[in-house]
Amino acid sequence: MDKHEITDEGGSPEIVLQVKDGLLDDRSAASMSELFKALGDPTRIKIIHALLQHELNVHDLTVVLGMGQSAVSHQLRYLRNLRIVKRRKEGKTVYYSLDDNHIEQLFVLTLQHLEHD
Amino acid sequence: MDKHEITDEGGSPEIVLQVKDGLLDDRSAASMSELFKALGDPTRIKIIHALLQHELNVHDLTVVLGMGQSAVSHQLRYLRNLRIVKRRKEGKTVYYSLDDNHIEQLFVLTLQHLEHD
DNA sequence: CTAATATATGAGCACTTATTCATATGTTAG
DNA sequence: CTAACATATGAATAAGTGCTCATATATTAG
């Protein structure tokens, strides 16, 4: 017995069952949404856009973004955990750059889409 | 005087200024992140994936997703507000389908990326 | 008309998230 | 060693999100 009492009785049961059967499993849906969620924030979008143009250290990112160092650092950790961004240490400064071609693809594709529209 | 006392004094001031100057404005960053945010949820991912295969009415979507009608309806409104999904009314039932080729592109691209990896 | 069915919507709530503040860690200069 | 600088991190908090529940609206059948 289903919690929501969801049973089939619609007009095209075959198609419904077919779609239901071929639907993304929870893990895939989670992976996918996790990836998109990373791009679902203006600050992270700006960070990615900046790094798309040039590798930058944390301080320079705060200058570029006009934000506090802590906020930038938190977001960089977030992006690094998802392997969207990578670090390179040089003395006491840490340089960040993009680490995922797929993300760059998504980003550029969407940027183009929003531009000519 | 900046709120965070962010001033330039890094190693490559020219590049920083260049990146800062070419950075996405707030409106563009907001548009972009808004779009990605729509894909940043497992339920919406599943809805889009289902509709990628076939137009479906609300009840059938609840069957496919195994979720309550209200939750599905709320998410459909969300997706419809962003023109990701469109309605077609037929009597008392409402059929939903995808309404944005770009979203489909992003979706399929990412799906492929996650599959063979 | 009323009842039944399909969808939509507002309020409430638990949970998440993005920032700030304070502080910790790491690195180099002197 | 200490001071100064660069980055990282934990706690706190305000805002946002996704679901449920109850109810509203719309359409059709009888």
Side-chain angles (χ1 to χ4, degrees):
Chain A
M1 219 66 79
D2 196 305
K3 185 188 173 193
H4 301 292
E5 302 184 27
I6 293 166
T7 53
D8 187 22
E9 42 163 293
S12 314
E14 320 129 32
I15 287 174
V16 175
L17 290 180
Q18 186 185 322
V19 173
K20 182 181 170 67
D21 204 57
L23 189 67
L24 279 176
D25 59 302
D26 287 342
R27 282 205 346 97
S28 299
S31 299
M32 231 173 138
S33 59
E34 190 181 51
L35 215 169
F36 283 121
K37 193 180 295 183
L39 303 176
D41 174 81
T43 296
R44 289 193 292 270
I45 285 288
K46 285 183 178 179
I47 290 176
I48 291 168
H49 185 245
L51 296 182
L52 205 58
Q53 298 171 67
H54 205 282
E55 177 194 59
L56 291 170
N57 63 46
V58 178
H59 176 264
D60 286 349
L61 272 171
T62 65
V63 175
V64 168
L65 300 173
M67 294 181 54
Q69 179 267 320
S70 182
V72 173
S73 219
H74 278 295
Q75 295 293 10
L76 287 171
R77 176 170 57 170
Y78 180 114
L79 293 172
R80 206 162 76 87
N81 286 340
L82 292 179
R83 324 249 158 164
I84 291 172
V85 133
K86 64 172 184 270
R87 279 151 52 107
R88 177 176 74 81
K89 244 182 143 174
E90 193 172 294
K92 48 185 168 183
T93 94
V94 180
Y95 291 91
Y96 281 86
S97 56
L98 296 183
D99 190 29
D100 189 322
N101 262 304
H102 172 246
I103 293 282
E104 292 190 37
Q105 262 186 281
L106 289 184
F107 193 95
V108 173
L109 192 68
T110 303
L111 195 56
Q112 290 170 351
H113 172 76
L114 291 182
E115 272 168 1
H116 72 70
D117 182 59
Chain B
M1 220 65 81
D2 197 306
K3 183 187 173 192
H4 301 290
E5 301 184 25
I6 291 165
T7 52
D8 187 24
E9 42 162 291
S12 313
E14 321 129 32
I15 287 175
V16 174
L17 289 181
Q18 186 186 321
V19 172
K20 181 181 170 66
D21 204 57
L23 190 66
L24 279 175
D25 58 302
D26 286 342
R27 284 204 347 96
S28 299
S31 300
M32 229 172 142
S33 59
E34 192 181 50
L35 216 169
F36 283 121
K37 193 180 294 183
L39 302 177
D41 173 80
T43 296
R44 290 193 291 271
I45 285 287
K46 285 182 178 180
I47 289 176
I48 291 170
H49 185 244
L51 297 182
L52 206 57
Q53 298 171 66
H54 205 281
E55 176 194 59
L56 290 171
N57 64 46
V58 178
H59 175 263
D60 286 349
L61 271 171
T62 65
V63 175
V64 168
L65 299 174
M67 294 182 55
Q69 179 268 320
S70 183
V72 173
S73 218
H74 278 295
Q75 295 293 10
L76 286 170
R77 177 170 59 169
Y78 182 114
L79 293 173
R80 205 162 78 87
N81 285 340
L82 291 179
R83 324 247 159 165
I84 290 172
V85 132
K86 64 170 183 271
R87 283 154 46 111
R88 177 177 73 82
K89 243 182 145 177
E90 191 173 296
K92 47 185 167 183
T93 93
V94 180
Y95 291 91
Y96 281 86
S97 56
L98 296 183
D99 190 29
D100 189 323
N101 262 305
H102 172 246
I103 294 281
E104 293 191 36
Q105 264 186 281
L106 289 185
F107 194 96
V108 173
L109 193 68
T110 303
L111 195 55
Q112 289 169 352
H113 172 76
L114 291 182
E115 272 168 2
H116 71 69
D117 184 59

